[in-house]
Every structure is written in structure tokens, then in C-alpha cells.
Amino acid sequence: MKHKLLFLLPLLAFATACMKSNKTTAPVVAPSGAFVGQFRLLHKKAGHVSYDTLKANITVTMQTPDNTYAVTGDTTTLHAGSNGSFSLNSSYISFVDKTYPTTGVPVKTHLNGSYLYYYDGSVLQMLAFSADTLSLQYDLKRSN
């Protein structure tokens, strides 16, 4: 189950890319409300086949029409509590974290940058890769 999202989103991105672009597409519906679930950081160490998996239960609250967000929940060790703005298209959602450090490397993961995403009105899944050794996964469900 922990690697389910890892395989689902590249397939979704491929299917989206293969769709004909000459048809009128429905407008993208932005996620709005509170989403509760699990953040996973998968890290592959050099010379190893398996991934180390770290998890945290978080809440991402997204507001439209101003497209702002806030991360709360278990933000003590792995994921930072943060807030900022977001934008999206049919394949990617991008976050700009106001709390992201301007210098140095942050100790905790911030919801910042671009992610492949899937949203069906209640489930929100996001995935980002950093090089070949790191994967950030968000598996969230709307709570309100």
C-alpha cells in the first residue's frame, strides 16, 4: 500500500498526456477545504534496493478563490507547519510556501514547489520526485 501512490501518478500523467488536446476540456476544479491524511517521505540510500519510509499525519487546508493553504497536524519532526499560496492546472499543483527559509537547507519538509496530483472531489494525492533517491507523497482525504 505504501508504494501504491508511487505507481499511480506516473500512469495518470501518461494517460493525461495521451489525451487529445483538440477537444474542449472541463475547467480544473481546485481542491478546497480541509484534507487529512498521510505524508510519506521515501528515500533510497546509495547502494540499496529498498526505500526508507518516514510518515506523518497532517492536515492541509486549502481555500479558494484566493488559493491559499496551510499545513497543520504532526509537524514536530518530519513535515513543517506552513502556509502560502497555490496554483494548478490539469496535471500539476504548485505551492509557494511563505515560511520556506530564504537561506540554508530546511530541516523539515515544506509543502513547496510543483507536484503531480490527482483530485476527484474527495481524495487528493500529490507526488514529487527529487533526483532518483527521494519521493514526497501526500495521500489525503477531504474531511469537510
Side-chain angles (χ1 to χ4, degrees), residues 76-138:
T76 56
T77 58
L78 182 59
H79 202 288
S82 60
N83 62 76
S85 61
F86 71 93
S87 61
L88 60 117
N89 63 29
S90 61
S91 300
Y92 290 93
I93 186 165
S94 297
F95 296 90
V96 178
D97 185 355
K98 288 190 221 176
T99 67
Y100 195 84
T102 56
T103 61
V105 178
V107 175
K108 299 178 192 177
T109 301
H110 286 251
L111 184 53
N112 191 55
S114 294
Y115 297 77
L116 282 168
Y117 82 100
Y118 167 80
Y119 179 59
D120 69 359
S122 63
V123 172
L124 175 62
Q125 296 175 320
M126 300 181 292
L127 175 67
F129 294 102
S130 178
D132 291 338
T133 61
L134 185 65
S135 173
L136 306 176
Q137 302 176 355
Y138 295 82

Side-chain angles (χ1 to χ4, degrees), residues 7-8 13 15-16 22 38 42 48 63 65 72 110 125 128 131 136:
F7 297 106
L8 175 66
T16 302
N22 60 354
Q38 194 173 76
L42 281 72
H48 291 85
Q63 302 296 325
T72 57
H110 286 251
Q125 296 175 320
L136 306 176

